[in-house]
Amino acid sequence: MASTTSLSPLTQAIQRLRQCSQRDIQSTWRWYQEDCPEDMVFQTDMPQSWLAAPLNDRQHIAWPRGEEVLWLHQSVTVPDTLHGYPLDGLTLRIALTWWAEEAQVFVDGQLVQVGDLFDFFTRICLSPSVAVGDTFNIAIRLISPEHDDGALVRSHLVYEVPMEMALPSPEPSFVADELEVLVQYAKRLAPEKLAEIEGVLGCVDWGCLQKGER
């Protein structure tokens, strides 16, 4: 992965915006490479003894093919801010992508989503309006394909502005996604506009984050 200093100012701005309301949690899972009863996962401290799940060079959590079972677990606690952006009252979702014959996603012991090789992506609402300190226990039971190694490909948290919350702008990660599309469009079809876009981003008041403002 390229260092931040080696990235273009546009890419740096997009990353900085996205980090204000998205958090990658791929590196904080614990894993158990065997099957076990659900009550052992949710009603005991067993997951606390699991080892940290390693990431391969593609940043995937991979395990062997052949319909092998893998459990993943982690607890997520809502901080007061992400890089200075206040989170209280926002909607929290977890976004997951997997490569598995079967996937079961549990939140606080409740099965909330199932999937497979064709239904391999989900965005689950953990709370429509979070409070600082809210904690969610998340577990995933995965079965690898017979013909291929399994993988948890991606996992991240997304904080979104609820429809009923009146704010002067959408959350930063939404702006980042729209900006990324605009930059790719300009690179291909109007490269002369890139300097103008960069100039506008130079006017963003990043200092408001130090004041805990949205």
Side-chain angles (χ1 to χ4, degrees):
M1 183 179 296
S3 66
T4 303
T5 54
S6 69
L7 301 175
S8 72
L10 287 174
T11 301
Q12 287 186 48
I14 290 171
Q15 285 194 358
R16 191 172 183 182
L17 284 166
R18 189 167 283 131
Q19 289 170 354
C20 286
S21 53
Q22 288 189 10
R23 184 164 76 87
D24 190 319
I25 58 170
Q26 188 76 346
S27 64
T28 49
W29 293 100
R30 292 181 176 273
W31 73 350
Y32 186 70
Q33 292 182 280
E34 296 181 31
D35 204 1
C36 65
E38 293 175 15
D39 59 359
M40 295 292 290
V41 178
F42 305 118
Q43 298 176 22
T44 73
D45 294 331
M46 180 183 178
Q48 303 306 316
S49 66
W50 295 355
L51 298 177
L55 303 182
N56 63 18
D57 57 0
R58 301 177 67 184
Q59 302 303 296
H60 296 172
I61 297 172
W63 77 103
R65 67 189 68 192
E67 299 186 344
E68 295 291 326
V69 175
L70 176 73
W71 277 95
L72 296 169
H73 179 276
Q74 70 173 290
S75 295
V76 170
T77 299
V78 178
D80 54 350
T81 68
L82 272 184
H83 299 275
Y85 186 74
L87 303 176
D88 189 59
L90 298 187
T91 296
L92 174 58
R93 302 181 190 276
I94 182 171
L96 301 167
T97 305
W98 56 76
W99 181 246
E101 187 71 32
E102 181 180 331
Q104 296 174 294
V105 184
F106 301 84
V107 177
D108 294 331
Q110 300 297 313
L111 178 64
V112 297
Q113 184 76 51
V114 296
D116 52 30
L117 290 172
F118 302 98
D119 186 10
F120 57 86
F121 171 82
T122 189
R123 280 167 53 94
I124 298 167
C125 182
L126 298 179
S127 172
S129 179
V130 298
V132 175
D134 284 351
T135 298
F136 306 91
N137 288 304
I138 304 163
I140 312 173
R141 180 179 181 271
L142 300 159
I143 301 177
S144 63
E146 180 66 35
H147 65 286
D148 199 5
D149 291 348
L152 182 68
V153 176
R154 189 180 183 207
S155 55
H156 63 278
L157 301 175
V158 183
Y159 291 90
E160 300 176 338
V161 176
M163 294 293 293
E164 64 274 12
M165 183 183 286
L167 290 180
S169 64
E171 69 276 356
S173 62
F174 176 85
V175 178
D177 290 343
E178 296 296 300
L179 183 60
E180 190 166 43
V181 172
L182 177 63
V183 168
Q184 293 303 316
Y185 172 88
K187 283 181 177 179
R188 292 187 174 99
L189 300 176
E192 71 280 2
K193 294 289 186 180
L194 289 171
E196 183 178 345
I197 298 171
E198 187 174 320
V200 172
L201 283 174
C203 299
V204 173
D205 180 18
W206 295 104
C208 70
L209 294 173
Q210 298 175 355
K211 307 171 188 175
E213 300 174 356
R214 289 192 177 116

